[in-house]
Amino acid sequence: MTSPASSHDIAGKVDALKKDVQTAMRELSRARSALESMTRAGNLAADPEKVATAFRDLRRSSLQALGLEDERLALVGELEAYFEREKTRQRMTLLGELNRALTEEGGRLEHLGDHPLTLGIGQLTLTLDLLARRATLSYAREDIAEVEASTEAILKAVRQTRDAIQKRALPSDLFFERLQHAYRVQLAMSGLPEGERVDLVDLLVPLALVDTDAEQRRKKGLDALTPWPRYLLAYQLQRLRRDGLLEQQGRRLDLGTATGGSTKNKQNVLFIPGHGTDGQYYLSLRFQ
């Protein structure tokens, strides 16, 4: 004969059912929000970024609690087929237009990968999310701009990025000198003796400081400083190496590679490109 359940057992079942209901409600709420978002868009092509987000939410939700799971799966399948067709069409159109435009300018489009679709435009990298129709432009694995995935917007971002780098970048011999000054500033702030290593990313603020005109610093103080972007430091170090100027006037720049655990947090290290898609993460530097 089964003994009656204790109050403790019943309370446990109540809690378990509550959690099941909460899980089901979260799934239903996610699916409802996704479907409402698609409905508000009116047309799947009207707001591609919002529809893409809604689709991803619908794909990872469940309507099992309402007995509509088969219907959800069928709709997800139709949407996946539709978006795949759209991505293929957009990819062919966009890549064709970009390639023609770059060829006319004397450049070329290089295919680097498919998941996500990644392209090389000179030293810049373009990553495409065709479902959301967004494109991210980067250098040395550092994002610089995010724009609409259209030929016009991408080419404009490429030109603006190149212009910004050319306008801000220093000749390698001058950068070597400024980098030494920034290195000494960081040593002083850290209380370290000459010749000790400092983290590369800690040089961004000192570089902004020594790269600002002294009179402007007097007039405006810290407001005179223009931030030194991570991608620009990577660019200058890559060019310094390419120009064979890591050693000048009896001083040698020694870069310390990032190993093992130090690369887990990418904010603490800097990727410096090599040839083609090659490169290496670096952690520190010192002058000897």
Side-chain angles (χ1 to χ4, degrees), residues 180-195:
Q180 283 192 83
H181 294 330
Y183 169 71
R184 292 190 179 111
V185 169
Q186 184 58 32
L187 286 179
M189 289 197 300
S190 303
L192 296 172
E194 184 79 18

Side-chain angles (χ1 to χ4, degrees), residues 10-40:
I10 294 173
K13 291 177 181 179
V14 169
D15 187 58
L17 182 58
K18 179 199 73 172
K19 290 178 180 177
D20 289 342
V21 170
Q22 288 174 334
T23 299
M25 291 297 292
R26 282 196 297 268
E27 295 289 341
L28 294 175
S29 178
R30 183 185 297 124
R32 183 192 65 189
S33 297
L35 292 166
E36 286 178 347
S37 183
M38 288 185 186
T39 303
R40 282 195 299 270

Side-chain angles (χ1 to χ4, degrees), residues 106-152:
R108 69 188 183 94
L109 196 63
E110 184 181 2
H111 178 265
L112 301 178
D114 282 307
H115 303 289
L117 179 57
T118 307
L119 308 167
I121 302 177
Q123 291 184 308
L124 301 175
T125 300
L126 183 69
T127 305
L128 295 167
D129 183 344
L130 292 175
L131 183 57
R133 297 187 190 174
R134 302 300 297 171
T136 303
L137 195 65
S138 61
Y139 173 79
R141 303 185 182 178
E142 300 290 339
D143 292 348
I144 300 174
E146 183 177 307
V147 298
E148 177 191 354
S150 69
T151 303
E152 182 180 358

Side-chain angles (χ1 to χ4, degrees), residues 213-231:
D213 178 72
E215 184 152 348
Q216 289 299 311
R217 290 202 304 266
R218 292 191 197 101
K219 286 181 179 179
K220 300 181 180 179
L222 294 178
D223 290 338
L225 305 188
T226 302
W228 192 280
R230 289 169 59 97
Y231 72 83

Side-chain angles (χ1 to χ4, degrees), residues 41-227:
N43 185 316
L44 293 181
D47 192 341
E49 191 165 3
K50 183 180 290 185
V51 170
T53 301
F55 171 62
R56 292 183 183 113
D57 285 342
L58 182 63
R59 187 165 51 186
R60 66 189 183 91
S61 64
S62 171
L63 292 177
Q64 193 71 47
L66 295 180
L68 295 173
E69 183 63 2
D70 289 343
E71 287 82 351
R72 183 193 70 86
L73 291 172
L75 179 58
V76 166
E78 288 187 44
L79 287 168
E80 283 180 336
Y82 167 79
F83 286 130
E84 280 304 314
R85 291 195 302 271
E86 278 297 293
K87 283 165 63 177
T88 300
R89 182 187 64 79
Q90 291 172 29
R91 173 175 175 149
M92 292 176 65
T93 301
L94 181 60
L95 268 58
E97 291 176 351
L98 275 175
N99 194 51
R100 283 192 294 273
L102 290 169
T103 300
E104 289 175 3
E105 296 178 357
R108 69 188 183 94
L109 196 63
E110 184 181 2
H111 178 265
L112 301 178
D114 282 307
H115 303 289
L117 179 57
T118 307
L119 308 167
I121 302 177
Q123 291 184 308
L124 301 175
T125 300
L126 183 69
T127 305
L128 295 167
D129 183 344
L130 292 175
L131 183 57
R133 297 187 190 174
R134 302 300 297 171
T136 303
L137 195 65
S138 61
Y139 173 79
R141 303 185 182 178
E142 300 290 339
D143 292 348
I144 300 174
E146 183 177 307
V147 298
E148 177 191 354
S150 69
T151 303
E152 182 180 358
I154 290 170
L155 290 177
K156 181 180 179 181
V158 168
R159 295 187 188 107
Q160 288 178 338
T161 299
R162 286 174 173 170
D163 289 346
I165 290 175
Q166 289 175 4
K167 182 178 180 180
R168 188 81 191 275
L170 303 171
S172 287
D173 54 349
L174 179 57
F175 173 70
F176 187 90
E177 179 185 325
R178 296 272 173 88
L179 188 62
Q180 283 192 83
H181 294 330
Y183 169 71
R184 292 190 179 111
V185 169
Q186 184 58 32
L187 286 179
M189 289 197 300
S190 303
L192 296 172
E194 184 79 18
E196 287 296 312
R197 289 192 175 278
V198 300
D199 285 358
L200 278 170
V201 296
D202 287 339
L203 292 171
L204 295 171
V205 173
L207 273 169
L209 182 66
V210 302
D211 195 38
T212 302
D213 178 72
E215 184 152 348
Q216 289 299 311
R217 290 202 304 266
R218 292 191 197 101
K219 286 181 179 179
K220 300 181 180 179
L222 294 178
D223 290 338
L225 305 188
T226 302

